[in-house]
Amino acid sequence: MVQPIPGTVVDQLLAAIRNLMPIAGASCYFVDEQGRPFGHRLNGLSREHLQEYRHDFCERDPFFPALHQPSGKDIVSLEDISSQRDTAGYLEGFLHRYGYCDEVEMFFRRSDGRIAMGVGMIRDERSGRFRTSELELIAKVKPFLQLTLAAYLNTNTEGMQWRTSSFASQLTTREVEVVEHLLGGASNREIANLCNVTVATVKAHFFNIFDKTGVTSRTELVARILTQ
């Protein structure tokens, strides 16, 4: 399974994190073998925010998972990385444009150490920047969340590698995203909401996917991917 954690579990995780302390919003995403985020779910953040992030800022994000894979650090604040990387473009061009002033990222790793999932927590001017005591609270909660998610993160992890298969190479980036949401159990309407498109567009994507891969149904599509 490409998206190993049910959407309801992710939604509950985001809600629990928002109950820890005042934040403007949170985003949960999965991470592929190349350290790229996908399958975002949001709490308190807009789809327009996500769409602009994907289009203009994803590869420039100082929290991009691939950048933090070698460090082994699982809780990263904007202050942590401001001395190591140029964060001005991301901060001024993206966060400040939406009225946000600070961000902290929490990474979850598989048993082999690879980042498999991340949660971004964003603050606005009303709540101010993250305080030391709040970062300490996040650090205390993180091991419990990791333990809770471990069974999901370490189940069928081979399926994550399908993105680098010859099967996936036939598809566009958006078609790959649509398939990943399908494998995560999402309906057409849910996929449309996650991708910020219409249901008709989702159906058109599936038509193109079927045509490219030679399958005739969603069941056959899932079976083909799992046998990859």
Side-chain angles (χ1 to χ4, degrees), residues 52-62 64 89-95 97:
E52 183 176 352
Y53 170 81
R54 285 174 170 167
H55 188 266
D56 296 323
F57 289 94
C58 184
E59 299 292 339
R60 299 156 54 190
D61 184 355
F64 196 71
Y90 179 76
L91 186 62
E92 299 295 336
F94 186 60
L95 288 185
R97 283 188 57 205

Side-chain angles (χ1 to χ4, degrees), residues 140-156:
K140 289 178 180 178
V141 171
K142 168 63 172 54
F144 173 75
L145 296 178
Q146 178 74 45
L147 182 63
T148 303
L149 297 171
Y152 293 111
L153 297 177
N154 293 303
T155 300
N156 297 326

Side-chain angles (χ1 to χ4, degrees), residues 32 134 195 198 219:
D32 68 14
E134 292 170 327
C195 295
T198 66
T219 301

Side-chain angles (χ1 to χ4, degrees), residues 1 93 114 128 162 176 178:
M1 182 179 292
R114 187 184 71 76
W162 88 280
V176 168
V178 167

Side-chain angles (χ1 to χ4, degrees), residues 1-32:
M1 182 179 292
V2 174
Q3 183 171 308
I5 306 179
T8 52
V9 173
V10 175
D11 290 339
Q12 290 169 2
L13 169 66
L14 291 176
I17 288 173
R18 292 201 71 186
N19 285 332
L20 280 177
M21 64 192 69
I23 58 175
S27 170
C28 180
Y29 53 85
F30 300 95
V31 181
D32 68 14

